[in-house]
């Protein structure tokens, strides 16, 4: 499976525009997943092709082939998690706060009139 870049596919006759394809990707999760999988497969085949070129290159071609290999490595690091520079760590940061509302545990802390210093008017 070597595949073609999406930009080249949409240039063919009877194909939708690149803008329309990107709109479909945004609207349809299953289509988006299919595109991502195709890109991963394409990156893998690109790596294999670059490595094959590196093994069979001449001294004259070595610099061009090295650049192709570097590009393949970078592309793979972005599209294929195994080749990525960063490790993905998933954490659950859910915080749950519960309030106990049992009546026997509720303590009334409202101060009484004599506790807050209110003096009642004494009228005779």
């Amino acid at each position: 499976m070597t595949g073609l870049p999406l930009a080249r596919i949409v240039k063919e006759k009877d194909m939708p525009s690149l803008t329309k394809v990107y709109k479909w990707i945004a609207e349809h999760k299953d289509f988006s997943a299919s595109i991502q999988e195709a890109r991963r497969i394409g990156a893998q085949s690109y790596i294999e092709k670059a490595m094959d070129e590196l093994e069979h290159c001449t001294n004259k071609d070595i610099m061009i082939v090295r650049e192709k290999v570097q590009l393949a490595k970078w592309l793979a690091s972005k599209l294929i998690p195994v080749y990525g520079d960063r490790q993905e760590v998933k954490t659950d940061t859910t915080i749950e706060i519960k309030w106990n509302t049992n009546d026997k545990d509720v303590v009334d802390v409202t101060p009484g009139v004599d506790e807050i210093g209110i003096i009642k008017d004494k009228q005779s």
Side-chain angles (χ1 to χ4, degrees):
M1 300 179 91
T2 56
L4 295 172
L6 184 60
R8 193 178 306 165
I9 292 171
V10 297
K11 287 180 182 178
E12 294 179 11
K13 188 178 180 180
D14 300 328
M15 294 302 283
S17 69
L18 189 58
T19 305
K20 185 166 246 176
V21 172
Y22 282 138
K23 185 177 178 184
W24 291 343
I25 290 171
E27 292 175 352
H28 305 286
K29 290 188 179 219
D30 55 336
F31 184 64
S32 176
S34 297
I35 293 289
Q36 281 299 103
E37 184 61 24
R39 286 180 172 163
R40 280 191 210 99
I41 292 169
Q44 184 66 41
S45 64
Y46 194 71
I47 291 169
E48 292 168 3
K49 181 180 175 188
M51 295 305 291
D52 186 54
E53 285 183 29
L54 185 62
E55 290 175 2
H56 298 99
C57 71
T58 63
N59 288 340
K60 181 180 171 185
D61 304 356
I62 190 71
M63 295 308 289
I64 294 170
V65 173
R66 281 186 182 171
E67 287 299 315
K68 286 182 178 181
V69 169
Q70 288 299 322
L71 177 62
K73 285 172 43 179
W74 178 83
L75 186 63
S77 73
K78 304 303 177 201
L79 294 174
I80 306 171
V82 174
Y83 297 115
D85 298 334
R86 292 181 266 151
Q87 292 181 351
E88 185 176 330
V89 177
K90 293 182 181 180
T91 59
D92 181 20
T93 56
T94 304
I95 298 174
E96 187 174 326
I97 299 173
K98 292 184 179 181
W99 297 98
N100 191 353
T101 58
N102 293 336
D103 288 339
K104 65 179 182 175
D105 294 334
V106 176
V107 177
D108 185 16
V109 292
T110 308
V113 175
D114 55 336
E115 294 175 330
I116 57 174
I118 296 177
I119 302 172
K120 293 183 179 181
D121 289 338
K122 295 184 182 180
Q123 294 189 7
S124 327

